[in-house]
């Protein structure tokens, strides 16, 4: 049985297996037998010349890298979820079954009603002499027992101090009263083209070293709202999950977490969580056992070229507020629907993802300046950042309807919304500007050019009054709201 599983772009690290143009995104945990290891002592300070050898770097860091062995409790078939292709345990991460489908020998190995405990392996590394270690959340999630094994074969019990699914990180503490070798998280951000050396436990083989370069930064692989991965071309395989990638100074620049692969093996495209994110998450896990993130309370979307033009912005950047959470920090501070956030806490906001990452780093209770663009001019609003709530909050909602009206120039037919908020789209001409921008029958128009619409005729009046080439609509589709810029006239 194996803890490795394949992932799609939509739910990478959410652990749902699927192909992507013949390519699979995979985490790199693995279930395999435990090997033995040889001892390596930590040397004095050094300078690595990669044109000659990485050996001095290996000697320096290898003692701090561990294999992470995980035991999951036994699961009864009676309580397992049966998806029609063999019962699978309730505690199994989503998508793990898809991995087993590729290896029938691992499926249904317990014919009786009680499945035995399963074992998994990944990688990790120590960050302090008192035995704190970092690995991936997906390696130790729901573990009953955790054991770490060093390069010299010594092994110790450990426990998870805290985990964070949104960044796929976990902090372990070794249960031993002694001093351990450890490595440091890098202070400087890795740059594209920098040498990196990855160390881990691929396929359960134990301390394995590969080398390459940082291929790209800021990769969003669809795993969550805070994706900001390093892409590296050092070989990463199953079982490398949670292992470190080092710079030439022996500092950890990233935690290896996922790969693109057509076959399950390395093709030179791996993803590592940057050290800067690891530092913040580890500090919070060590202090609180969980990660507390800053929260603004807005539903946001990127500013496209069309939206930028309709707002009068010179370039498509920032994040536009599509909705606000009731009683959220943003709403209390006076941020409104349609505001475009250009800067937060002194940092330029490139897009919606950038805003989410920036706010998440702010300590709850902190007052920050948020620079917005509203009604054609810039403003600065002070917001007291809140703590990220643990459940999906209720959105603020809008107004009331009336009777139908035909907007044939835009290819739309409108009628009163069923819930009394905005104007409902009843028909869309498939060749219309509205259809080309994704408006569908059943959508509800809440605002036109910044004005709430409560009657279909309000939509027509709003279009007549605009001078811009494009008009910005706030549209609700199901539970989500978004802004759409469409031409002021047909064509």
């Amino acid at each position: 049985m194996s803890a490795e599983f394949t992932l799609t772009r939509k739910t990478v690290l959410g652990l749902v297996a699927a192909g992507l143009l013949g390519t699979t995104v995979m985490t790199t945990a693995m279930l395999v037998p435990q090997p033995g290891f040889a001892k390596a002592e930590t040397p004095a300070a050094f300078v690595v010349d990669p044109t000659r050898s990485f050996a001095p770097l290996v000697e320096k860091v290898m003692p701090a890298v561990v294999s992470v062995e995980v035991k999951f409790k036994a699961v009864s078939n009676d309580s397992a979820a049966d998806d029609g292709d063999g019962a699978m345990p309730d505690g199994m991460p989503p998508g793990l079954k898809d991995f087993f489908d590729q290896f029938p020998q691992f499926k249904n190995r317990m014919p009786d009603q009680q499945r035995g405990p399963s074992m998994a392996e990944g990688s990790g590394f120590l960050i302090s002499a008192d035995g704190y270690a970092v690995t991936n959340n997906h390696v130790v999630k729901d573990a009953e027992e955790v054991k770490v094994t060093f390069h010299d074969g010594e092994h110790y019990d450990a426990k998870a101090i805290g985990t964070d699914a949104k960044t796929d990180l976990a902090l372990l503490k070794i249960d031993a009263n002694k001093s351990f070798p450890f490595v440091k998280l890098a202070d400087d951000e890795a740059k594209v083209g920098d040498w990196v050396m990855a160390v881990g436990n691929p396929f359960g083989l134990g301390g394995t070293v590969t080398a390459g370069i940082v291929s790209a930064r800021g990769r969003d692989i669809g795993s969550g709202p805070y994706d900001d991965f390093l892409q590296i071309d050092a070989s990463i395989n199953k079982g490398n999950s949670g292992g470190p990638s080092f710079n030439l100074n022996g500092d950890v620049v990233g935690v290896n977490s996922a790969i693109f692969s057509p076959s399950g093996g390395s093709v030179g495209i791996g993803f590592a969580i940057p050290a800067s994110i690891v530092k913040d998450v580890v500090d919070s896990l060590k202090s609180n056992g969980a990660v507390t993130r800053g929260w603004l309370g807005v539903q946001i979307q990127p500013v496209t070229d069309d939206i930028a033009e309709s707002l009068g912005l010179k370039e498509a950047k920032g994040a536009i507020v599509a909705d606000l959470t009731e009683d959220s920090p943003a709403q209390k501070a006076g941020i409104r629907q349609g505001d475009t956030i250009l800067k937060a806490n002194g940092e330029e906001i490139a897009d919606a993802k950038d805003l989410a990452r920036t706010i998440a780093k702010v300590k709850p209770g902190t007052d920050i300046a948020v620079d917005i663009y509203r009604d054609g001019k810039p403003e600065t609003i002070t917001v007291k950042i809140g703590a990220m709530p643990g459940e999906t909050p209720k959105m603020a909602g809008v107004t009331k309807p009336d009777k139908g009206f035909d907007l044939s120039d835009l290819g739309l037919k409108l009628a009163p919304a069923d819930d009394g908020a905005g104007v409902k789209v009843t028909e869309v001409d498939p060749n219309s500007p509205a259809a080309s921008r994704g408006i569908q029958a059943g959508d509800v128009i809440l605002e036109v050019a910044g004005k709430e619409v409560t009657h279909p005729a309000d939509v027509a009046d709003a279009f007549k009054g605009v001078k811009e080439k494009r008009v910005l609509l706030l549209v609700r589709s199901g539970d989500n709201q978004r802004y759409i810029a469409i031409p002021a006239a047909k064509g």
Side-chain angles (χ1 to χ4, degrees):
M1 188 173 190
S2 170
E4 180 54 49
F5 40 92
T6 57
L7 311 167
T8 65
R9 272 189 175 278
K10 292 183 179 178
T11 55
V12 178
L13 307 182
L15 316 181
V16 178
L20 177 66
L21 299 178
T23 298
T24 302
V25 184
M26 310 178 70
T27 57
T28 47
M30 176 83 187
L31 268 178
V32 286
Q34 295 84 359
F37 302 95
K39 174 113 175 156
E41 299 296 334
T42 303
F46 67 99
V47 177
V48 172
D49 178 0
T51 63
R52 300 187 61 174
S53 176
F54 282 91
L57 181 57
V58 175
E59 292 174 1
K60 174 183 172 69
V61 304
M62 187 66 82
V65 181
V66 295
S67 65
V68 180
E69 303 155 20
V70 180
K71 179 181 178 181
F72 301 97
K73 62 184 178 183
V75 178
S76 170
N77 281 355
D78 292 336
S79 63
D82 189 350
D83 57 13
D85 193 18
M88 305 300 287
D90 285 335
M92 185 171 293
L96 190 51
K97 176 199 167 292
D98 298 282
F99 177 74
F100 288 149
D101 285 344
Q102 304 172 59
F103 303 98
Q105 67 269 31
F106 288 123
K107 296 175 59 179
N108 302 315
R109 296 185 65 177
M110 300 294 292
D112 56 10
Q113 290 298 307
Q114 182 72 24
R115 293 174 186 265
S118 59
M119 300 293 293
E121 278 199 351
S123 304
F125 59 97
L126 275 78
I127 57 170
S128 64
D130 55 351
Y132 283 96
V134 174
T135 187
N136 280 143
N137 169 67
H138 74 260
V139 172
V140 298
K141 182 178 181 291
D142 300 325
E144 186 177 55
E145 297 178 14
V146 179
K147 181 181 292 184
V148 298
T149 302
F150 286 82
H151 186 63
D152 61 3
E154 291 186 358
H155 54 84
Y156 301 89
D157 291 331
K159 62 179 180 179
I161 299 298
T163 62
D164 182 47
K166 290 181 178 177
T167 56
D168 194 28
L169 290 169
L171 181 65
L172 308 178
K173 178 67 168 65
I174 296 176
D175 185 16
N177 186 22
K178 61 174 292 185
S179 182
F180 293 96
F182 65 95
V183 288
K184 176 175 168 290
L185 292 165
D187 294 321
D188 298 327
E189 296 284 353
K191 298 177 181 178
V192 175
D194 282 353
W195 281 103
V196 288
M197 184 183 78
V199 185
N201 183 34
F203 302 105
L205 294 172
T208 298
V209 176
T210 56
I213 63 170
V214 176
S215 304
R217 286 172 46 100
R219 290 299 198 206
D220 180 353
I221 60 175
S223 67
Y226 311 116
D227 277 14
D228 188 18
F229 287 92
L230 299 176
Q231 180 184 326
I232 62 176
D233 69 351
S235 293
I236 302 296
N237 286 287
K238 301 173 187 177
N240 272 112
S241 277
S245 282
F246 295 97
N247 61 21
L248 297 184
N249 296 323
D251 297 332
V252 177
V253 295
V255 176
N256 305 320
S257 188
I259 59 174
F260 276 140
S261 175
S263 62
S266 174
V267 293
I269 302 178
F271 299 101
I273 305 162
S276 57
I277 293 177
V278 179
K279 282 183 180 180
D280 291 340
V281 171
V282 164
D283 287 346
S284 190
L285 291 177
K286 191 173 183 179
S287 301
N288 309 315
V291 177
T292 303
R293 292 184 171 88
W295 178 59
L296 190 58
V298 292
Q299 186 182 103
I300 52 178
Q301 69 181 79
V303 177
T304 63
D305 290 334
D306 284 351
I307 290 176
E309 182 179 347
S310 68
L311 292 172
L313 288 168
K314 294 181 179 179
E315 55 183 321
K317 68 176 184 178
I320 190 167
V321 178
D323 201 0
L324 295 98
T325 304
E326 289 182 347
D327 298 321
S328 65
Q331 190 179 60
K332 291 176 181 178
I335 292 177
R336 306 174 191 166
Q337 288 178 347
D339 288 346
T340 303
I341 299 175
L342 301 175
K343 185 183 288 188
N345 201 28
E347 297 186 28
E348 299 283 345
I349 302 302
D351 52 32
K353 280 270 190 179
D354 200 18
L355 178 64
R357 289 191 291 261
T358 299
I359 296 299
K361 293 186 295 184
V362 179
K363 183 179 179 180
T366 304
D367 289 331
I368 69 166
V370 177
D371 293 354
I372 66 170
Y373 188 80
R374 176 189 293 171
D375 298 331
K377 57 185 179 181
E379 293 185 28
T380 299
I381 296 177
T382 300
V383 182
K384 183 182 289 293
I385 297 299
M388 181 78 71
E391 58 184 9
T392 303
K394 179 183 176 185
M395 303 311 282
V398 209
T399 47
K400 303 173 183 177
D402 210 295
K403 303 192 178 179
F405 189 84
D406 189 348
L407 270 173
S408 57
D409 281 349
L410 294 172
L412 295 176
K413 286 190 177 181
L414 308 176
D418 297 336
D419 62 357
V423 180
K424 183 178 181 179
V425 178
T426 59
E427 291 184 32
V428 182
D429 181 346
N431 298 315
S432 68
S436 68
R437 285 155 177 81
I439 295 179
Q440 300 178 0
D443 289 348
V444 177
I445 300 173
L446 303 173
E447 291 182 4
V448 178
K451 298 177 182 178
E452 292 183 359
V453 290
T454 60
H455 188 292
D458 295 340
V459 178
D461 290 342
F463 269 89
K464 293 173 185 176
V466 298
K467 298 178 181 179
E468 291 81 6
K469 294 180 180 180
R470 288 179 172 81
V471 179
L472 200 62
L473 308 183
L474 177 61
V475 179
R476 186 177 70 220
S477 300
D479 295 329
N480 297 315
Q481 294 182 184
R482 69 191 191 281
Y483 281 96
I484 299 175
I486 66 175
K490 187 176 181 180

